[in-house]
Every structure is written in structure tokens, then in C-alpha cells.
Amino acid sequence: MTHKTYEELRSARWFAPDDVRSFGHRSRVMQLGYGPEDWEGKPVIAILNTWSDIGTCHGHFKQRVEDVKRGVLQAGGFPLELPALSLSESLVKPTTMLYRNLLAMDVEELLRSHPIDGAVLMGGCDKTTPGLVLGALSAGMPFIYMPAGPMLRGNVKGKVLGSGSDTWKYWDERRAGKINKAQWMEVEGGIARSHGHCMTMGTASTMTGIAEAIGLTLPGASSIPAVDSNHIRMATECGRRVVGMVWEDLTPAKLLSRASFENAITVAMAMGCSTNAIIHLVAMSRRAGEHCAVGLDDFDAASRKVPVIANIRPSGDTYLMEDFYYAGGMLGMMSVLKDHLKLDALTVTGKPLGDNLVGAEVYNHDVIRPLDNPIYAEGALAVLRGNLAPDGCVIKPSACAPRYFQHTGPALVFDDYPSMKAAVDDENLDVTADHIMILRNAGPQGGPGMPEWGMLPIPLKLVKQGVKDMLRISDARMSGTSYGACILHVAPEAYIGGPLALVKTGDLITVDVPARRIHLEVSDDELARRRAAWTPPPKRFARGYGWMSARHIQQADTGCDFDFLETSFGAPIGEPDIY
């Protein structure tokens, strides 16, 4: 196994030479109260902390960063905390997705510009996992991902509540007048009652699970609840392990292969993952290099073979991530999936995935089902294509009513969220459960940032009739905690002239999930006439980050990365000059 010398460390370029520039580096670190014994002969470990006062899922990171530091010190490293952009899913507007790539840029440049040899990435809330990993992949130095962990189950009056999923359920009851304001506020106070990210199988749990499946976390790390004492010990072990990774020179280029990302797709399907998994995993695989890249077809192929076996809301109807952990967690679930996994794929332990699964068990076979008794016989997601979405769109069949798997209905089109919101609350709206609602101009550029608007609310008129699901189509995303017959990520998006821009209210649309088909029942000649008459909407931004994003963000099918950040864009970036 490779073992680097101190002179070969990146940080030694800053601290080791006997020259005036290194004098300045050392003296300024001494200004902080450190001495040569803190850094000499030791790797410098950056702890990238996405904590903030408004980062609701990461409230425990103030303490966890100290736990990570303890591990780094135990292993003979020099830990330094570097705050990174905090993306609070619930509070950042218009959407954290607009800023995922900004976090990736922040991470890449933080690591490259400082005297850093390795990194621990502290994240968990939805976009923090892909944002941190994207940037660290591009920086190219050894890193380990430390997941925040899910919060405890929600609870009100003895009823278990799940993040997001129960929000939508109880909000429909509130809209229909079935619960009053006081009851609604009880749900508000009981649904998120500890540190940690959403405890449903939303985007947060999906992405931390994917990070583990890729091999970027310690074995079992993604399942541990945020407030469990095992989480503290895991954080400390992250600190110890990353020091070893630096000495072993276990960089992303040596660690990752296409098999790593194929394993992540398999695990995502079995988890009943968030639809957002596709966007983020595609982007991460492309950052890891062309030899690692996966796409929509890889997800759909896996969906045909891998059943949903994690009985966790919203695909499941009972359990939450706390139950998943007690049932054996990610290691237990992957032990069931062994025949579908590439067990020789390397992980941050320095060992292949198969070695990490030795001794893993399932302790509750209703929470983590055997392959012959899944909660859904195919994988969580399906990719549809057709004249409405030539570059693809996504549906989560495991979380929607089967009657919509094959359906033809008239379109009800909305060009923006305010007009849709006003319409669905109008009890005189001309709509039936057979209609297909469309919200467009909400994609990567149109949103802007592809916000989670795709789970369009059921019109109040239908809610009062007891309708709980209907087909909805959008170029937006939806929360991983959401459910229903929602077709999302339509590519190319309407805002740039994709076919979704040409649909009119009343047009018939056919959806056939088994055939993976979506078709607008309008002739090619008529669509050509509509295209000739189509006028692009006004630009969203005249300056700033939004202006830059609009010019460089790619479409959903390729992961919404900025074109200039992708690995294939240009030659690798060298080490910074030090003069």
C-alpha cells in the first residue's frame, strides 16, 4: 500500500520550505496559537462544516466538528475547520438547487487554495451532499463524507409523523376543513423534534445513502440517527480514517469507478429513493470522470431489475429512517442486495464493498424486505421518453396510484406557480381526476434553479370529493418526501423552448409507465405551427450569480451541473503557485 512521506504532502509546500513565504505561512498559523508541533510531519485535514444558525438539519454540527477534530488528532493529523456554504432546504429561496453548484465551487476552491491534504465533508440536508461531493471530486484530494443523520420520528398525540409526507397529507385535510388551526399547529410542532435531516426516504436520506453506496462514507454511517451516541463515535472515526487515507494517497481517482456509481443506482432503487437522486448522481458521476459517468438509461435498466425493499415512507406506508437503522440500516439492506452489487468496488475504508458487508444482517424483515417480498416489484423510479420529453422525464411509480401507470387525459396547463396556486383553490375550476395538470417554466433556467414545485396540489374541488392523486407533469423537481403520480424533470425544459412549452389546455396526453412512454397527442404539423408562434419568456436575471447560472446550467438529464465545472470541460487544474 502507498505511504506518502511528509515532504510529499500538499501542505508541506506551504509550511516546509526555509524561505520568506513559508515564514509568513508558519507565523500566521502561530498567530492562531498553534506551534510547529501541531503541523510538522502531519497531514492537514480540512473539516468542511455546513453549519449555520439557519441550517436546521445541521444544528448538531457545532459539536460534531469537535468530535471529528478529536479523531484527526488521535490519528496524528492537524484539523482545521473551514465553514462552507450552508443550504437549508426549508428556508433558502427560491430553491437550494439554484445554489448546489455554488456550494460545489466553494468546496473545490476552499480545498485547492488552502494547505490541505485531506477533508471531512459535513453534510446531510438535501443539496449539501451532492454539493460537497461535487466540489471535493473536482479538488481531487482524499476525502470522507460524514452524514448528518436523520432526525427522530415525528410524533403528535401518539401518531408517528414523517417529514414532508405527513405535511402534504395534513395540509390537504386542513384545506378540506377536516382539521382546525389548533390541530394543524400541533402537527407543526411535532413533525421535526430533534437535530438531523428528514427521517422519511426523502432527498436527504436518499443522498446520504447514495454516498455510502458509492463508498464515500464509513460503513453504516448514513443510517445512524443524528442524536444517537453512535453518531458521535462515527464522526470521530471519520477524523481518524481520513488521516489514513491521506497517507495511503487514496484519492477519488483511485477510489471510484463506474461500478461505484452503478452500486449507488442499485441502492437508490431498493431504497425507494427520491426522484432527485437521478439529477445529483448523474452530476457526481460526470465529475468523477467520463469513465464513471452514468445516465438516465442506467437508472431505468436498474429499475427493471431491482425491487424496492426498504419499507420507508413515502414509498412504504409505515416506517421511517429510525426504524430502518434499528432493522439493520444500509449495511443490512446492501447485504440483501449482494447479487445486484459490484462487491469489488473500493470504499474509503481502503477495502472493497464486499468486505464491509461481512456480518451485516437484517433484524426486521418488514422494514427491510427480502427480495422475494418487496414493497414494489420494480425499482423506485422510471424514465419516460416521447415527443413531450425527448431527453427524458422521471416518475416514481412506487409512490403513486397504479391506475395512473397507463392513462390518457386532457391537459390543464399553467405557465407559472402563482396562476396554478390561485386556480387549484378555486372550487369552480373546470377539472376532473382524469385531467393531467401541467406546470411549466419551472426547470433549471425557468424556475430558476428547478425548484421543488412538481408535486402540484390537488385542486380543492377534487380534494373535497376525496381525490388523493392525479397525474401531474412539470419541468420542476419535487421533494423526495413527496408522493403521487408526478412526472418531473421534463427535458428539455419549457423555458428554453422544449416541447412542454407547446402544450395547450385540452390537449390529450398519454402516459404509459410500463412502456416508458409519454406522448402529446398532437400532430407534428400542429406542433411545428405552435413552435413558430412561440415567444421565449423574459430572462430571469440581469446580473449576479443567477445571471451566471442561467448561462451555464445544463438540463436535468445531464445533472444540472455548470458546463464549465464538468471534468470534461478542460484540462485538469494544477497546484496553486506559491511565490
Side-chain angles (χ1 to χ4, degrees):
M1 182 178 291
T2 301
H3 193 286
K4 298 183 79 168
T5 64
Y6 174 65
E7 291 74 22
E8 293 174 316
L9 296 178
R10 289 185 78 248
S11 60
R13 297 182 64 235
W14 277 259
F15 296 129
D18 184 12
D19 60 21
V20 69
R21 184 58 63 204
S22 293
F23 163 86
H25 300 153
R26 293 189 297 266
S27 69
R28 289 303 186 178
V29 176
M30 293 178 78
Q31 180 184 6
L32 296 171
Y34 297 109
E37 59 273 19
D38 288 304
W39 70 77
E40 283 185 351
K42 300 176 180 180
V44 178
I45 304 299
I47 306 172
L48 298 192
N49 190 354
T50 51
W51 175 90
S52 75
D53 264 338
I54 205 166
T56 58
C57 301
H58 298 171
H60 54 316
F61 276 10
K62 258 190 172 180
Q63 177 56 49
R64 287 297 178 275
V65 71
E66 301 303 321
D67 300 324
V68 176
K69 284 182 179 179
R70 186 170 71 251
V72 173
L73 291 169
Q74 288 170 356
F78 180 32
L80 295 172
E81 179 184 3
L82 275 64
L85 182 66
S86 184
L87 296 178
S88 178
E89 188 66 27
S90 302
L91 298 167
V92 171
K93 304 300 176 188
T95 169
T96 53
M97 185 63 185
L98 181 62
Y99 301 106
R100 183 200 71 179
N101 295 342
L102 183 60
L103 173 57
M105 295 170 69
D106 186 18
V107 170
E108 180 177 351
E109 301 308 326
L110 274 173
L111 294 178
R112 181 174 290 118
S113 63
H114 286 96
I116 301 302
D117 300 303
V120 176
L121 314 178
M122 298 178 62
C125 190
D126 295 18
K127 309 308 178 297
T128 57
T129 301
L132 287 163
V133 171
L134 285 167
L137 287 172
S138 293
M141 62 190 64
F143 72 88
I144 192 168
Y145 184 75
M146 193 219 80
M151 68 178 86
L152 298 179
R153 305 180 192 94
N155 192 285
V156 63
K157 292 185 173 178
K159 291 184 178 180
V160 174
L161 300 178
S163 310
S165 300
D166 278 317
T167 303
W168 323 128
K169 183 182 79 172
Y170 282 103
W171 178 239
D172 277 348
E173 292 193 15
R174 176 88 172 110
R175 291 171 69 212
K178 296 178 181 179
I179 63 172
N180 59 34
K181 184 177 181 180
Q183 291 169 317
W184 174 243
M185 291 186 70
E186 286 177 340
V187 173
E188 199 171 285
I191 201 166
R193 60 187 187 88
S194 80
H195 294 317
H197 58 67
C198 291
M199 81 305 264
T200 42
M201 188 56 76
T203 303
S205 293
T206 290
M207 293 312 302
T208 56
I210 280 175
E212 179 167 344
I214 294 173
L216 301 178
T217 78
L218 293 174
S222 67
S223 311
I224 307 171
V227 295
D228 192 299
S229 63
N230 286 292
H231 196 271
I232 298 172
R233 287 186 282 275
M234 179 271 292
T236 302
E237 176 58 24
C238 285
R240 286 195 294 267
R241 177 57 198 145
V242 76
V243 174
M245 292 176 67
V246 170
W247 290 127
E248 296 161 19
D249 199 29
L250 191 53
T251 61
K254 295 177 181 178
L255 176 68
L256 299 176
S257 64
R258 195 172 198 278
S260 309
F261 293 93
E262 289 172 344
N263 284 340
I265 292 174
T266 295
V267 165
M269 290 299 165
M271 284 193 294
C273 65
S274 164
T275 48
N276 290 302
I278 291 186
I279 291 176
H280 300 316
L281 188 50
V282 167
M284 292 190 296
S285 73
R286 292 163 70 102
R287 284 284 190 106
E290 293 182 22
H291 65 291
C292 291
V294 296
L296 295 188
D297 290 342
D298 296 298
F299 278 87
D300 199 61
S303 177
R304 298 287 197 179
K305 298 182 293 186
V306 182
V308 179
I309 61 172
N311 189 11
I312 310 299
R313 301 183 197 176
S315 292
D317 58 8
T318 304
Y319 301 109
L320 297 169
M321 288 302 295
E322 190 178 345
D323 305 295
F324 182 68
Y325 175 60
Y326 301 146
M330 186 57 65
L331 291 178
M333 192 186 77
M334 286 197 289
S335 73
V336 178
L337 295 169
K338 277 184 177 180
D339 290 344
H340 292 285
L341 296 170
K342 309 293 177 63
L343 298 176
D344 57 349
L346 202 58
T347 70
V348 292
T349 64
K351 300 175 183 178
L353 177 63
D355 287 10
N356 296 343
L357 298 182
V358 172
E361 296 182 53
V362 173
Y363 307 109
N364 185 325
H365 295 279
D366 192 39
V367 178
I368 302 174
R369 298 284 188 86
L371 292 173
D372 60 0
N373 184 32
I375 67 165
Y376 184 71
E378 291 192 356
L381 307 181
V383 176
L384 313 182
R385 297 182 190 272
N387 67 347
L388 193 58
D391 293 332
C393 56
V394 180
I395 188 171
K396 188 174 182 177
S398 63
C400 72
R403 66 180 177 275
Y404 292 113
F405 289 0
Q406 292 177 301
H407 181 80
T408 297
L412 178 60
V413 181
F414 301 100
D415 286 321
D416 56 67
Y417 200 92
S419 61
M420 181 276 296
K421 190 173 186 299
V424 297
D425 287 333
D426 180 0
E427 295 192 51
N428 296 313
L429 180 67
D430 184 12
V431 65
T432 70
D434 287 331
H435 271 84
I436 299 177
M437 293 175 63
I438 291 178
L439 173 66
R440 62 190 177 196
N441 299 314
Q445 291 192 35
M450 207 178 178
E452 292 183 340
W453 296 345
M455 185 189 172
L456 312 187
I458 304 295
L460 184 58
K461 172 182 176 180
L462 300 182
V463 170
K464 290 190 172 183
Q465 293 173 11
V467 175
K468 298 184 181 300
D469 202 2
M470 64 186 299
L471 269 170
R472 290 153 280 178
I473 299 175
S474 181
D475 45 15
R477 300 174 300 112
M478 76 175 182
S479 166
T481 66
S482 302
Y483 51 86
C486 301
I487 297 172
L488 311 156
H489 311 179
V490 173
E493 63 179 304
Y495 187 80
I496 63 170
L500 195 66
L502 309 179
V503 184
K504 294 183 177 181
T505 292
D507 288 346
L508 291 178
I509 296 172
T510 295
V511 172
D512 190 335
V513 175
R516 301 300 198 256
R517 181 173 176 267
I518 183 168
H519 187 75
L520 175 62
E521 306 290 351
V522 174
S523 71
D524 292 343
D525 288 345
E526 173 60 18
L527 289 176
R529 283 191 288 273
R530 293 183 188 182
R531 179 165 296 286
W534 179 75
T535 302
K539 297 297 182 184
R540 296 287 192 197
F541 297 99
R543 58 169 299 281
Y545 174 75
W547 179 90
M548 181 181 77
S549 176
R551 278 153 181 77
H552 295 284
I553 195 166
Q554 299 181 93
Q555 289 295 291
D557 59 303
T558 54
C560 296
D561 205 354
F562 289 165
D563 54 11
F564 65 86
L565 294 179
E566 285 205 315
T567 305
S568 60
F569 185 81
I573 300 172
E575 290 290 346
D577 293 328
I578 300 177
Y579 298 121

